[in-house]
Amino acid sequence: MEMTDADIIAECLSGRTETFAELMTRYRRLVYNVIYNYTGTREDSDDLYQDVFIRIYQSLGTYNAAYRFSTWATRIAVNACFDWRKKRRETVPIESATEVGDARPGPEEQYIAEEQTERVLEAVQGLPDMYRLPVQLFHQEGLSYREIADVLKQPESIVKNRLYRARLMLAGSLNWDGAL
Amino acid sequence: MKRCGRNDELMMRFFDRGLGEAEIALLDNHVRSCGRCKKRFDLLSGIIGVLEHAAPAEASQELDESVMRAVRALPVPAPAPAGTAPVLAAAGILLALALAVALQGNGPVELMLAAADTLNGVVAGAWKTQLAADFIGGLFPGLAGSASRLFWNVVVAGAASSMLVGLRSAVSVLRKA
């Protein structure tokens, strides 16, 4: 029978550290994508990813089973992203801080689709955090309003309004053929 | 941006995957007959489709191994001790009750008033502080953690303050006696 997240956490807290690897396996994709969608670069994401999972391990004792583990882990990842952004503002000139995204070369026949994807992702990166995170967590990570509200510590109504507004902002900035 | 009545709301709820069949049919009818909404719907569908189907990024296996190496070197995390605020609040209530009970012959009304006074102080303090923490977190999401810490610190202070309120009530009952 598969262990629940709570079982794994109990094992870790009792000293069986190796079981943490199972927790990582379950949530590695979620955590990495939250970080990657925020930072936009592999290098920063790799560093933050390790930092976040170490934070998660060190905080296991404070995990509240009233929340889903994915929500709790996402909150830690988002907080780490905020810290990263803050540190980056202090150390990196603004010009280079605005460069986002890896070069993602692909087959020529996929060029247009990839370019469109790139433009959408860049537009998302250009949104202020308060709008960007609801978009990423809802549409890219598949979190519910309730879970996003828990992650961002905001009421669901605010999350919902920000997501609506973010969609309209994206539509406005990607209005290729003057549709709006 | 112009609005198209209820259909703007329906469209957003559609992208939330929150519409029933009847509402989807309603939206579909409208989009077919309104050129502006059709363009908007197509544009939003394209954007959201890209977001929801963009290939997820993957962390390399080496990163996981690196994390596990670091984890093995760390001490086993300890369960967090229970917060001090609930303990202080409970102590305040008990103290107030104990003092009130000590005042023999003052009846249940005074007793209840003293307890209610204390409870009121704790709850009102916590509620107001949570509101303040939410407000700060909303304005500055990066401070959400600090706001949360602020919340607990002020709750602790509120609990201590409530103990004093309880004591004051008890003393007041004593003087009346």
Side-chain angles (χ1 to χ4, degrees):
Chain A
M1 194 172 145
E2 192 180 73
M3 291 173 82
T4 64
D5 292 344
D7 293 336
I8 296 175
I9 291 165
E11 291 278 303
C12 290
L13 293 177
S14 69
R16 282 183 279 276
T17 307
E18 292 305 314
T19 48
F20 187 67
E22 171 60 24
L23 214 48
M24 283 182 71
T25 304
R26 291 182 188 184
Y27 298 102
R28 63 196 303 278
R29 179 176 277 194
L30 170 69
V31 168
Y32 194 80
N33 277 280
V34 167
I35 295 167
Y36 181 70
N37 289 330
Y38 191 91
T39 64
T41 72
R42 284 273 179 195
E43 192 183 355
D44 289 321
S45 302
D46 287 357
D47 290 343
L48 265 180
Y49 174 81
Q50 296 176 73
D51 181 40
V52 165
F53 266 113
I54 290 169
R55 282 194 202 190
I56 287 173
Y57 176 75
Q58 290 177 313
S59 311
L60 283 180
T62 66
Y63 170 64
N64 179 352
Y67 296 99
R68 289 173 63 181
F69 186 82
S70 57
T71 305
W72 186 71
T74 303
R75 187 191 296 166
I76 291 178
V78 167
N79 286 339
C81 287
F82 288 148
D83 292 346
W84 169 83
R85 165 68 66 85
K86 193 176 163 195
K87 210 176 286 178
R88 192 173 158 89
R89 278 194 186 130
E90 287 164 3
T91 56
V92 179
I94 292 168
E95 293 77 24
S96 44
T98 58
E99 291 169 10
V100 291
D102 287 337
R104 297 175 192 176
E108 196 169 339
E109 61 271 21
Q110 292 180 358
Y111 177 76
I112 294 174
E114 286 191 356
E115 189 185 35
Q116 189 179 357
T117 300
E118 201 68 33
R119 286 187 62 193
V120 170
L121 296 178
E122 277 180 15
V124 173
Q125 289 280 352
L127 293 174
D129 280 356
M130 63 192 292
Y131 297 112
R132 175 156 59 126
L133 285 165
V135 167
Q136 291 174 334
L137 295 176
F138 189 87
H139 288 301
Q140 294 186 274
E141 309 310 331
L143 269 64
S144 66
Y145 278 134
R146 177 72 261 153
E147 289 168 330
I148 298 172
D150 287 339
V151 167
L152 301 179
K153 295 185 177 174
Q154 297 286 346
E156 271 185 69
S157 57
I158 288 183
V159 170
K160 194 172 181 177
N161 283 337
R162 287 182 182 168
L163 181 57
Y164 284 18
R165 185 154 169 72
R167 287 174 184 154
L168 294 178
M169 289 163 84
L170 288 173
S173 66
L174 294 165
N175 189 16
W176 293 294
D177 57 356
L180 300 176
Chain B
M1 197 178 287
K2 286 188 295 180
R3 295 184 66 80
C4 209
R6 183 172 172 242
N7 295 288
D8 285 336
E9 172 74 11
L10 276 182
M11 202 182 290
M12 288 300 172
R13 284 179 47 217
F14 173 82
F15 292 118
D16 288 348
R17 299 177 291 274
L19 290 189
E21 280 182 23
E23 287 176 312
I24 290 176
L26 206 63
L27 178 64
D28 186 49
N29 277 340
H30 177 75
V31 167
R32 284 173 194 275
S33 62
C34 174
R36 190 191 69 89
C37 282
K38 168 132 183 45
K39 286 178 181 172
R40 177 182 287 184
F41 183 83
D42 289 345
L43 179 58
L44 283 169
S45 292
I47 292 169
I48 290 168
V50 164
L51 288 174
E52 293 187 347
H53 297 106
E58 283 283 351
S60 71
Q61 213 59 48
E62 288 74 35
L63 290 179
D64 290 359
E65 286 158 16
S66 166
V67 171
M68 284 310 293
R69 276 196 298 277
V71 160
R72 283 183 204 108
L74 290 169
V76 174
T84 50
V87 176
L88 283 175
I93 293 165
L94 286 174
L95 186 59
L97 281 172
L99 281 171
V101 168
L103 306 170
Q104 298 293 328
N106 281 304
V109 175
E110 287 81 0
L111 183 69
M112 282 192 294
L113 280 176
D117 209 359
T118 304
L119 274 170
N120 180 54
V122 172
V123 174
W127 182 68
K128 286 174 189 167
T129 314
Q130 178 65 67
L131 280 181
D134 283 349
F135 181 68
I136 293 168
L139 284 179
F140 309 104
L143 290 179
S146 306
S148 180
R149 282 192 291 280
L150 170 72
F151 166 61
W152 282 111
N153 288 335
V154 179
V155 165
V156 171
S161 157
S162 295
M163 281 196 284
L164 294 176
V165 170
L167 279 172
R168 190 191 61 196
S169 301
V171 168
S172 147
V173 172
L174 182 61
R175 280 184 182 153
K176 278 182 197 165

